[in-house]
Amino acid sequence: FIVASAALILDFGALQHLLREPVGGADFFAELCNWFGVLSCLAWLLGFAILAHWLHQVGATSMGKAGCYLKLVASVFFNLQPMTGTMGDALLGGSAGLWWSNLTGILFFHFGNIISCTDFYLHTPPGAEKKKGWGYHGNLPITAMWIYQAATWFLVGSNFLSCNWGTVGTSFVPTTGLPVVICQVAGGFLLLLGSVVYTIWCDGFRNFNY
């Protein structure tokens, strides 16, 4: 998830750089935009597939697994945009890829996060204590999930505002507009922060046995 989040931030950066370059003047970083997207989306897909397996292994609640499944479906939709973008087929949106896949994906991701947060509220996970703070080690998965939900609020906003609804030039705000940039940066870095919190919780920076 850290790799997915970092690649997403690079994808946003390359996209903004690409859209600000004169026609035909894109540099190497801008041309990597769709490839950053491919890396990010494949990492989300792999990560949620592994998470789904782990949740079954530990006997997670049905609600917890449902939240994960929604995010697994989201990652499938995420992959459609950069993959079709790298194809460059005009019928599939050209270099921009399918216009609807990112918005669909982030909505699934967001609803999955809401369900996961609700699950943590209704079913306190092992090791967590509601009376202790957000930084208590046992509460870190809950903290990270709320950070994820905050991230997807921003990303839903950026995708909704910049979506062209199938016709170029029909978005509410240009992709290079400040509201979209703020939402992209905030969403990307919050996903990275949430992923780091999860890794700290499972001691993933030092222990690779799990």
Side-chain angles (χ1 to χ4, degrees), residues 25-208:
D27 61 15
F28 182 70
F29 178 64
E31 290 178 347
L32 287 176
C33 179
N34 279 321
W35 292 105
F36 286 137
V38 169
L39 174 60
S40 175
C41 297
L42 286 176
W44 287 120
L45 180 63
L46 176 62
F48 285 121
I50 294 173
L51 177 61
H53 172 73
W54 181 77
L55 290 176
H56 279 276
Q57 292 294 106
V58 299
T61 65
S62 296
M63 186 177 289
K65 288 183 281 190
C68 178
Y69 293 150
L70 284 174
K71 285 174 270 193
L72 183 60
V73 171
S75 63
V76 173
F77 282 108
F78 287 152
N79 275 279
L80 294 178
Q81 185 276 321
M83 286 184 176
T84 53
T86 56
M87 291 169 62
D89 191 325
L91 294 176
L92 299 175
S95 61
L98 294 171
W99 67 268
W100 50 266
S101 60
N102 275 343
L103 180 59
T104 303
I106 198 58
L107 288 172
F108 272 101
F109 198 163
H110 186 55
F111 287 129
N113 285 338
I114 291 174
I115 289 174
S116 296
C117 287
T118 304
D119 175 55
F120 281 150
Y121 178 76
L122 296 176
H123 313 104
T124 304
E129 294 190 34
K130 290 185 177 181
K131 293 182 179 180
K132 295 192 176 182
W134 293 94
Y136 174 65
H137 184 266
N139 291 340
L140 289 182
I142 302 172
T143 302
M145 187 56 66
W146 278 98
I147 294 172
Y148 265 27
Q149 188 188 151
T152 51
W153 275 111
F154 281 109
L155 294 176
V156 166
S158 69
N159 278 274
F160 182 78
L161 290 173
S162 62
C163 183
N164 64 25
W165 309 103
T167 305
V168 176
T170 59
S171 61
F172 294 109
V173 177
T175 303
T176 54
L178 185 60
V180 174
V181 174
I182 290 173
C183 287
Q184 287 179 339
V185 171
F189 277 98
L190 283 171
L191 285 177
L192 180 60
L193 175 60
S195 301
V196 169
V197 172
Y198 269 123
T199 307
I200 292 172
W201 169 69
C202 69
D203 199 25
F205 289 114
R206 297 185 301 173
N207 190 339
F208 298 96

